[in-house]
Amino acid sequence: MGEIATGLLVYLGVAAGDAEPDADYIARKIAGLRVFRDAEGKMNLSLAQAAGSVLLVSQFTLLGDVRKGNRPAFDGAAPAELARHWYEAVAERLRSLGIRVATGRFQTHMEVSSTNDGPITILLDSRKLF
């Protein structure tokens, strides 16, 4: 079971059609986010600079579409084996960037707890580059 101290809790949804450029983009963006406080209290430090880690949790429900009705449709989510591949690829890419990564268990029910140190939640979408 994954556990970290200082760092980022990342819920990763893999969409149908995601590929290597998506995994690369997401890993680089996560590693480079300057969301940790520096000595002056400004959000200015990356994970590496803050000696932080990532808890990477697979979360296909992020792809839930409720535009038609109230029951989510998950047609936009990648099939399980493809999602597992890209989930593991993102974890490995983060590690190759020098980030310590802990993971959840793929395709299982998990109870995730977090302590949010500050009011920040960011949505990264590799398909919304511009």
Side-chain angles (χ1 to χ4, degrees):
M1 209 145 88
E3 183 177 327
I4 63 170
T6 299
L8 299 174
L9 170 57
V10 175
Y11 291 109
L12 181 70
V14 178
D18 278 354
E20 194 165 334
D22 300 287
D24 289 338
Y25 171 81
I26 291 297
R28 281 192 326 272
K29 202 60 143 162
I30 290 168
L33 286 174
R34 293 173 35 187
V35 295
F36 296 92
R37 292 184 205 98
D38 63 15
E40 297 172 8
K42 295 181 182 176
M43 287 190 342
N44 200 29
L45 302 178
S46 68
L47 271 168
Q49 293 167 322
S53 304
V54 168
L55 176 56
L56 188 65
V57 177
S58 175
Q59 189 71 359
F60 80 95
T61 60
L62 290 172
L63 284 294
D65 185 352
V66 293
R67 291 177 292 176
K68 296 179 183 174
N70 294 318
R71 185 174 180 185
F74 299 104
D75 300 344
E81 284 312 307
L82 185 60
R84 179 189 305 270
H85 171 77
W86 292 119
Y87 168 74
E88 291 172 355
V90 169
E92 285 308 311
R93 280 167 172 77
L94 285 166
R95 289 181 181 114
S96 75
L97 294 169
I99 305 299
R100 182 183 163 274
V101 179
T103 59
R105 292 191 186 120
F106 189 86
Q107 210 172 7
T108 61
H109 177 86
M110 289 178 288
E111 291 184 16
V112 178
S113 312
S114 69
T115 301
N116 193 2
D117 182 17
I120 184 163
T121 302
I122 295 174
L123 173 66
L124 298 176
D125 187 337
S126 61
R127 295 184 182 183
K128 295 181 180 176
L129 296 175
F130 304 102

